[in-house]
Each structure stands twice: as C-alpha cells, then as structure tokens.
Amino acid sequence: MKRRISFFAWLAPLLLGVALALWWARGPHAANDSTDPAAAPESRPVAEPRAESALNVPVAAPAPAASVAAPSAVQTELAGLLALADPDERFRRLDLFWRRAFVADPDGVIAAIDALPPGDERSQALLYLLTELVERDPERALSLAIALIRAPEEAHLFATLFDRFARQDAVRARAWLARVPAGPGVAPAWRAVADVYAQSDLAASLAWARGVADADAREVALETVLYTLAAKDPLRAFEIALEALTGEPRDRALYQALREVIPHDPAGAASLIVAMPFSEQRTLAVVEAARAFADLDPRRALAWAAGLPVDDASALAVANILEIWAHNDLPGAIAKIDALPAGEARAAAAERVATLMANQNPAAARDWAAGLADPASRERALGAVVDAWSRSDAAGAAAWTLGQSAGAQRDAWLGAAVSNWAVQDQAAAARFVANLADDATQRAAAVTLAPYLAQASPHAGLEWALGLRSEAARREATLVVYQAWLGNDPATAAAWRAGATLPADIAGALRGL
C-alpha cells in the first residue's frame, strides 16, 4: 500500500499559485504543513477541485476592514516597490518591506494591505500578514482574513489559515468554520480542517464529515476525508463515495480510490469500474485499468473492455489494450483488430497499432494500414503512419502523400508531414511547398507551414509567402504570417505593411486585420 497522501496538501500548491509558492519557499516562514514529515506535498494525488463558490453554510457577518489610513511614508515606499518591473525583484523587495514595516507599524501595514487592488502582490501581503498572526493571535488572524480576503483568487488563504487552526486546536477550528463568509473561501477552509482531522483520527473525521448538516459542506468534508481513507482502505472509500457522495465529488473520490487499486489488482479495479457513473474520471479509470490489465492478461482485459457500454471510454480501453498486446505479439493484436466490429474502437486500435509499427518499419506499417478493409480504420491508421514516418523521414512521407487521391484526407496527411518537416528543417520544407504544382495542395500545405516560418522570421516568412506560385496560397500564407507577426510585435508589423509594395487584394486584407 502506498504511504498516505493527503487531499489538502495536494490541493494547496494549485491554489497558492506558482508565483506565491516560489516566493514563500524562499522566505523564512516556509514550512511543510503535512503531519507526515516523509510526505512531500508535491507527491500527493491529483484531482480536479470542484467549483467552490456554490457552498452555502451559516456564516457570521464579515468584520470591518481597516479604519485607519496607511502612513504616507508607507504608501510612498510601497508605491515605489509596486512599480518595479522585474517580478522576482518586486516580490523579494516586498517581502522584506512587509516584514520590516509590520514590526514598526502593524496597523499601518494592515491599512496598506486593505488598500491594495486584487492581484499577486495583495495575495503575497495577505499571506505574510496572516501567517505572522496565526500562531500568536489566531482570533485576530481570522478576523482580519474575514475583513480583508475579498477576491476569489485570495480565497485559498482560508485553506492556509484553517490548516494552521486545525493543527493548533481541532475542536476550535471546526467551530470557526461557521465564521467563514459565504463564497469561494468556504470550501478551502472545510477541506483544510477535514484533511488535518483525517490525518489525526480517520474514524472520527469520517463520522464527523458524514454528519455535517449542510449538504454542500458535507460533500467537501467527506470527499477530503475519503482521500486519506483511499490510501488505507480503497475498497471502503470506493463504497462510501458511491453511497454518500454525488456529482463531481463522488466521481473524483471514486477515481482516487481506484488509483490505489489499479496497480495491485487491475482485474478487481476493472470490476469496480462497472459500478461507476459516466464521468470524465470514469474514462480516466477505464484507460488506466485497461493498460494495467493488459500488461497482466491482454485476453481477459480485451474481453472486459468488450463488455463495457459502447462509448468513448470503451473504445479507448480497447485501443490501449491492443497497443500493449502489439508490443508483445503484433500478429495476435492485428488478428484481434480484424475481428472487431466496425466503429470507433476498431479505428482507434488500428491507429495505435499503426503508430507502433511505423516507429519500427514505416513501409510495412503503410502497407498494412493501406490494406485495411474498414475505411475509417484505414484513414486513421494511415494518418498515424504518416505522422510517425515524417518524424524520421519527412521528405519520404510528404512525397508519398502526393501520390494519394486529392481531397481533404490527403491534405491532412500532407499537413502532418509538413508540420513535422518544419520542426526538423524549415528551409527544406519551404522549398518543398514552394515547388508544389497543384494549387489546392500548395494552398493547404502553405497555410500549415506559414506559422512556423512566422515564428522563426516574419520578414523571411512574408518573402516566402509572397513568392508562392498559387494565388490562393500566396494570399492565405501571407495573411497567416502577418497576423502572427502583428500579434507578437504590432508596431513593427504595421510599419512593414505601410512600406511594403503589395498586390491590392493582399494589401486590403492586411489592412483589415
């Protein structure tokens, strides 16, 4: 069994944001909030947080904001620091400023923070202020959080605050949850308290979470506790989530429990998946279980996947199983693909196996894919072959596409080959496209190549585009390159257009951008 990984400690880095995390890690107050010193926060499980503004629990009225104005000296120095252009230097200098100013004039600092507009600098200041107060005066820290935390991007600070509260006094922290104002800060506070409680007493926290009166808060608390339970008893966590949760909290908790089961018992996980409601998390679980099951017994895995309801998840399961099967037994996997009924599962499996084959022998993969009887499987497989083939031999793959029947499918294959060619050798790809004889083919390839040339050199890209033989290719490629340039450097692009001698239709189109 894996070591326990808590829900809140996984969620906190996402909520704090990269900039604040980097800043705080450099400060003297940096700390690991996990009670397990061996559990690094970044190793904790990943799940998408639910929308948290819907929680509606009884709350006390927010405390008033600071009633005094920040001293003029504080305001002047702060304005200078906020004007610093380099974000790292700005954050570093602000860190030092808040620490120094708070010692000299705590009320003035609170007033200055209160006056800051929403943004990273205000979040940084609030984090410093609340962390400074939470140990020595938790009551004041909470009152100030209620008064000062207003923007949605600051709501994560309630998680930091209530994590500390719960470690100081768990009973008091649970009581103080009712004081958090309704809005996006409620769920982070409940998650933090539930997480710390689950780490210290899993059975008691489970009973507490299930007994929370408010339905929304109950789901937040119970989902959080189940993350800790899943690491210890995933089957029980799965059962409770299925019975006691609804919607996205249920789906995330079920998936988290299955992630603990799949590596050790993929067949058992596969049987549990049948009970999951349809969701994005179910699709993820199906794919993960399919790959683990296929490593163990591809025949049984394929039989299981064939029994799933026909949807995108089942098609992905079949494709993943046959891809793994093909690694060990290519003829056997191909025979299974041929036996599948026409549909998404067969086409997806053919695409996966074609990629695998093309990485080893492009010519053999091309011949196999071209011989597939099912049109959808044949097109998908050939597309996969061209993509894989052109990563090692773009010229050969592109030349092959020109020998196929004209149409949207050939243009798509050629586009894939040109894109990969542009990554390897832009000059060669540009010469190839410029020499294409068919107008429609040149237009499609030129539009594909143009963004790569624009990124490398807008001037050179425009010169190339304006020299193309096909009128449609010339016009569309020029528009693509110029529009990319205009987005990156509007002044220079506009100056080039004003001084360039261009055909009337192209000049008019560029002026309209």
Side-chain angles (χ1 to χ4, degrees):
M1 185 64 68
K2 297 178 180 177
R3 69 183 183 212
R4 177 195 52 72
I5 301 176
S6 73
F7 176 92
F8 169 68
W10 159 78
L11 188 61
L14 281 182
L15 296 173
L16 286 175
V18 173
L20 284 176
L22 290 173
W23 166 77
W24 195 245
R26 294 196 296 265
H29 292 279
N32 182 355
D33 286 339
S34 173
T35 56
D36 177 0
E42 56 269 24
S43 70
R44 297 182 177 184
V46 175
E48 287 296 320
R50 68 173 293 183
E52 296 172 337
S53 59
L55 286 182
N56 182 21
V57 296
V59 296
S67 58
V68 299
S72 58
V74 170
Q75 294 183 42
T76 300
E77 185 176 358
L78 178 58
L81 294 174
L82 293 173
L84 292 172
D86 183 80
D88 290 336
E89 177 68 8
R90 185 169 64 248
F91 268 58
R92 186 187 69 80
R93 296 274 297 277
L94 282 169
D95 178 26
L96 297 173
F97 167 76
W98 294 124
R99 296 177 192 283
R100 172 171 45 79
F102 187 78
V103 172
D105 186 358
D107 290 336
V109 164
I110 292 169
I113 293 173
D114 189 25
L116 285 174
D120 288 345
E121 288 77 14
R122 191 171 195 276
S123 294
Q124 175 195 17
L126 285 169
L127 180 60
Y128 167 73
L129 174 66
L130 297 176
T131 307
E132 187 70 31
L133 289 173
V134 70
E135 298 297 338
R136 63 189 185 190
D137 193 348
E139 171 68 44
R140 191 179 186 207
L142 179 58
S143 296
L144 284 172
I146 292 170
L148 297 176
I149 296 176
R150 293 187 285 269
E153 59 266 30
E154 299 164 359
H156 64 268
L157 296 170
F158 278 110
T160 301
L161 203 58
F162 273 85
D163 179 78
R164 300 291 181 91
F165 289 160
R167 297 181 193 283
Q168 292 171 345
D169 184 332
V171 175
R172 183 187 66 190
R174 292 195 293 276
W176 277 0
L177 285 169
R179 295 177 59 184
V180 181
V186 176
W190 278 82
R191 291 191 192 281
V193 171
D195 179 68
V196 174
Y197 198 1
Q199 293 174 33
S200 61
D201 190 334
L202 185 53
S205 67
L206 185 59
W208 166 75
R210 299 191 74 167
V212 171
D214 180 83
D216 289 328
R218 181 172 61 251
E219 294 217 330
V220 169
L222 183 54
E223 180 191 359
T224 305
V225 171
L226 289 180
Y227 268 63
T228 296
L229 179 61
K232 300 177 180 296
D233 189 346
L235 297 182
R236 185 169 177 235
F238 187 93
E239 179 183 320
I240 293 173
L242 198 59
E243 169 221 338
L245 292 175
T246 60
E248 292 183 9
R250 173 201 61 208
D251 300 333
R252 288 192 298 264
L254 291 173
Y255 174 57
Q256 184 59 31
L258 284 170
R259 291 184 69 198
E260 299 288 342
V261 178
I262 288 170
H264 310 290
D265 183 10
S271 66
L272 290 173
I273 286 171
V274 175
M276 287 184 73
F278 289 93
S279 68
E280 181 181 343
Q281 286 76 18
R282 178 184 176 275
T283 298
L284 292 173
V286 165
V287 171
E288 291 181 26
R291 295 191 69 85
F293 203 174
D295 276 331
L296 189 69
D297 188 337
R299 293 181 184 278
R300 284 181 61 205
L302 190 60
W304 162 73
L308 292 172
V310 178
D311 62 358
D312 290 344
S314 65
L316 285 171
V318 170
N320 277 275
I321 290 165
L322 286 169
E323 179 185 17
I324 289 173
W325 196 333
H327 273 285
N328 300 316
D329 177 11
L330 181 58
I334 288 175
K336 290 297 180 182
I337 291 174
D338 291 340
L340 290 173
E344 175 59 23
R346 184 174 182 176
E351 183 177 34
R352 293 291 187 92
V353 172
T355 299
L356 179 68
M357 294 174 65
N359 285 329
Q360 300 170 355
N361 188 332
R366 179 197 62 205
D367 293 343
W368 171 75
L372 290 171
D374 174 48
S377 299
R378 182 171 61 252
E379 287 187 3
R380 293 270 290 274
L382 282 171
V385 169
V386 170
D387 183 62
W389 182 8
S390 60
R391 293 177 191 276
S392 59
D393 179 13
W400 175 84
T401 65
L402 295 180
Q404 309 311 302
S405 300
Q409 188 60 67
R410 187 187 70 173
D411 289 347
W413 292 338
L414 181 59
V418 168
S419 293
N420 287 329
W421 202 348
V423 173
Q424 302 160 22
D425 187 342
Q426 281 189 11
R431 287 193 298 271
F432 170 82
V433 174
N435 289 326
L436 290 172
D438 179 72
D439 285 1
T441 303
Q442 187 178 65
R443 183 203 61 79
V447 169
T448 298
L449 181 59
Y452 295 93
L453 301 179
Q455 186 67 29
S457 170
H459 282 102
L462 286 164
E463 183 180 356
W464 169 84
L466 288 166
L468 292 173
R469 179 193 51 75
S470 162
E471 181 179 346
R474 184 166 59 248
R475 182 177 185 278
E476 292 190 35
T478 300
L479 287 173
V480 169
V481 175
Y482 181 76
Q483 193 161 24
W485 192 10
L486 194 64
N488 292 328
D489 188 354
T492 307
W496 172 87
R497 179 185 59 78
T501 302
L502 300 169
D505 62 327
I506 293 178
L510 296 186
R511 282 195 299 271
L513 294 177

